[in-house]
Amino acid sequence: MPLHLRISRNLGTLILEGAIAFCSASLLAQAPLPSEPELKALAGLPHYAPPQQIAGTIRVWGHGAPGLDFMGMLFKAWVDGFAKFQPNIKFEYDMYGTASAMGALYAGKGDIAILGQEIYPFETVAFNRVKHYSPTEIEIATGSVDVRNFDFAIGTFVNSKNPLTRLTLPQLNRIFAFQDTPAENIVTWGQLGLTGDWADKPIHLYGWHQDDVFSTFVQFRALDGNHRWRCEMKQYRHIHNADGTIYDSGQQILDDLAKDPYGMALSNVRYLKGIARDATKPLALARNADGPYYEATKATLIDRQYPLGRIIPAEIDRKPGRPVDPAVKEFLTYLLSREGQGEIVRNGKYLPMQPAIASRQLEKLQ
C-alpha cells in the first residue's frame, strides 16, 4: 500500500496532500520514502520566504573527510536549494571533520561550524577563551535511529532471557558510573526490581571504550558528566579485518551480550542482527522514575521524547548584542524551513526538526 494511503486521517489534509507530492518526487528521484513522523514534522514547518536578496560568501567547516564526506550530498542539496532563493550567496565548503570546525570558527576562518555530534564542553571553553563569549548554537537536524555515522540514538540492551523491560537515566548512571556514595551503585539485578534467581546475580557491563564519542555522549547525557566508568565494564573498539571490512564495536557488544543472560550493554538497534537479533533486546528509557518510557523510533526522536536521541548543531560566532551576519542568518533560516528540512528527509539519513524546536532555533537568529 502506498505510504500516502497509510497516513492517519488525524494528521489532516495538509499532510496527506504533502505526502502525495513528496512521495511522487521521491520515487522519481529514487530516494527513500518519507515516514509519517517525518511528513508530520515537515508539514508543521514554515516555507522559506526571503525578506530580501542578500549577497556574500559563507565559509562552512565541519562533519566530513576527504574520503568520507558524510554530509556532502546533503550539503550540496542545501546549497542548490538555497540558490533558487538567494543566487548571490556563494559557499566555501571545507568539511575536513568535526574536530576542525570549532577551531576554524574562533580563528576567524569559518562562518558556520556544522558538527557531527553535540558540541563538547572543552570546545565551548576553547571558543570562550579566544572570543570571551560562547558560540551561538543552532540545531539543524535530528540524529538518526540507526544510520551509521549519522548520529544514531544510543540504546541500553539486555539479554532476551532477562525479564527487565525498562530503565531510567538515574538508574543508568548508578549502573555504569561509580557513585560518590558506594551504596548508591547498582551492581545486582535485584536492585532493579528483579526477583527469584535473578535477585543476587551481578550485572555484567558492556559498552564502547570510554574515550569513544558515544561514551562521551552518554557521560554528559546520562551520567551527570561523571567520567568514572565502572572498571568492570568490558570496553570495545572497532576491529579492522584483513579483508578491509570492519567489525563494528556496537556489533561486538551485542554479539557478546547475546551469550550472557546477566549482561547489560550500550549500543544501537542497527546491530540487532545475526546472533544478537533474537538473543538481545533494547530497554525503554525514561528521564526519571515518573516516566514516561520511550523506545527509539523516528517519532520519539523527532519529538525529543527518547532520552538518548542525538542532534546536529551548527555553531556560529555571534558577538553579544550584535546581529547575525545577514548571509549566515538567511542560510540557517533556510535550513530550518520546510524546504531545507525536506532535503534532510530526501537524503534519508538524519531526521528533520520538530516544528516547535525549529521555531526556538529561529528565535536565536533574531
Side-chain angles (χ1 to χ4, degrees), residues 280-296:
T280 66
K281 64 181 183 181
L283 300 177
L285 295 180
R287 289 177 173 81
N288 54 59
D290 294 332
Y293 291 79
Y294 295 101
E295 296 180 355

Side-chain angles (χ1 to χ4, degrees), residues 37-46 139-143 298-305 310-311 335-338 341 344-345 350-362:
E38 291 171 303
L39 291 169
K40 181 180 179 182
L42 291 182
L45 293 168
E139 298 174 17
I140 59 172
T142 303
K298 287 185 176 182
T300 63
L301 293 179
I302 292 172
D303 288 341
R304 306 293 174 91
Q305 295 168 321
R310 314 292 302 281
I311 61 102
L335 295 190
L336 292 167
S337 71
R338 192 179 303 185
Q341 294 292 298
I344 292 176
V345 175
Y350 294 117
L351 296 171
M353 296 285 291
Q354 199 273 344
I357 298 171
S359 178
R360 291 199 291 271
Q361 306 310 305
L362 290 170

Side-chain angles (χ1 to χ4, degrees), residues 18-298:
I20 297 171
F22 199 106
C23 289
S24 299
S26 296
L27 288 171
L28 290 174
Q30 297 183 335
L33 292 176
S35 66
E36 182 177 320
E38 291 171 303
L39 291 169
K40 181 180 179 182
L42 291 182
L45 293 168
H47 287 289
Y48 177 63
Q52 59 184 336
Q53 290 295 296
I54 303 293
T57 298
I58 302 175
R59 302 164 299 169
V60 182
W61 290 65
H63 189 38
L68 294 169
D69 198 3
F70 300 121
M71 294 193 74
M73 293 180 64
L74 174 58
F75 192 83
K76 185 179 186 302
W78 276 335
V79 169
D80 291 345
F82 185 58
K84 297 175 183 177
F85 299 94
Q86 296 283 6
N88 297 317
I89 295 181
K90 309 304 178 185
F91 290 86
E92 293 179 5
Y93 179 62
D94 294 300
M95 306 300 265
Y96 298 132
T98 295
S100 68
M102 289 306 297
L105 190 64
Y106 61 69
K109 297 296 184 180
D111 302 304
I112 302 176
I114 297 180
L115 309 185
Q117 71 267 329
E118 297 77 9
I119 189 171
Y120 290 138
F122 75 82
E123 292 175 309
T124 301
V125 170
F127 184 98
N128 202 302
R129 285 183 177 176
V130 174
K131 309 295 289 189
H132 306 295
Y133 52 88
S134 297
T136 296
E137 179 173 282
I138 308 297
E139 298 174 17
I140 59 172
T142 303
S144 71
V145 175
D146 59 1
V147 184
R148 190 177 188 268
N149 296 324
F150 287 84
D151 238 19
F152 55 47
I154 306 301
T156 306
F157 297 79
V158 295
N159 190 281
S160 294
K161 295 178 181 178
N162 194 312
L164 194 70
T165 60
R166 62 187 193 176
L167 199 70
T168 68
L169 293 193
Q171 288 174 321
L172 189 66
N173 183 10
R174 294 170 60 194
I175 293 167
F176 280 89
F178 281 111
Q179 305 302 305
D180 292 331
T181 303
E184 294 181 356
N185 291 311
I186 295 178
V187 296
T188 67
W189 291 104
Q191 291 175 277
L192 292 175
L194 300 193
T195 59
D197 292 340
W198 290 90
D200 63 348
K201 297 298 188 297
I203 302 173
H204 303 154
L205 302 179
Y206 300 83
W208 289 283
H209 197 276
Q210 65 184 44
D211 63 2
D212 193 289
V213 294
F214 301 123
S215 294
T216 302
F217 170 77
V218 173
Q219 176 183 326
F220 288 103
R221 181 62 64 86
L223 308 186
D224 292 333
N226 189 348
H227 65 279
R228 296 176 300 171
W229 291 81
R230 295 279 296 281
C231 297
E232 301 94 323
M233 183 177 76
K234 186 174 181 180
Q235 302 179 28
Y236 296 76
R237 297 184 187 273
H238 292 333
I239 294 176
H240 295 263
N241 299 313
D243 62 0
T245 60
I246 298 176
Y247 186 14
D248 269 19
S249 52
Q251 190 68 64
Q252 297 173 54
I253 290 168
L254 291 193
D255 287 351
D256 282 356
L257 177 65
K259 307 167 191 173
D260 184 0
Y262 304 113
M264 178 181 290
L266 298 169
S267 189
N268 176 262
V269 293
R270 71 173 280 108
Y271 302 114
L272 288 172
K273 55 189 177 182
I275 186 176
R277 182 181 59 190
D278 297 321
T280 66
K281 64 181 183 181
L283 300 177
L285 295 180
R287 289 177 173 81
N288 54 59
D290 294 332
Y293 291 79
Y294 295 101
E295 296 180 355
T297 67
K298 287 185 176 182

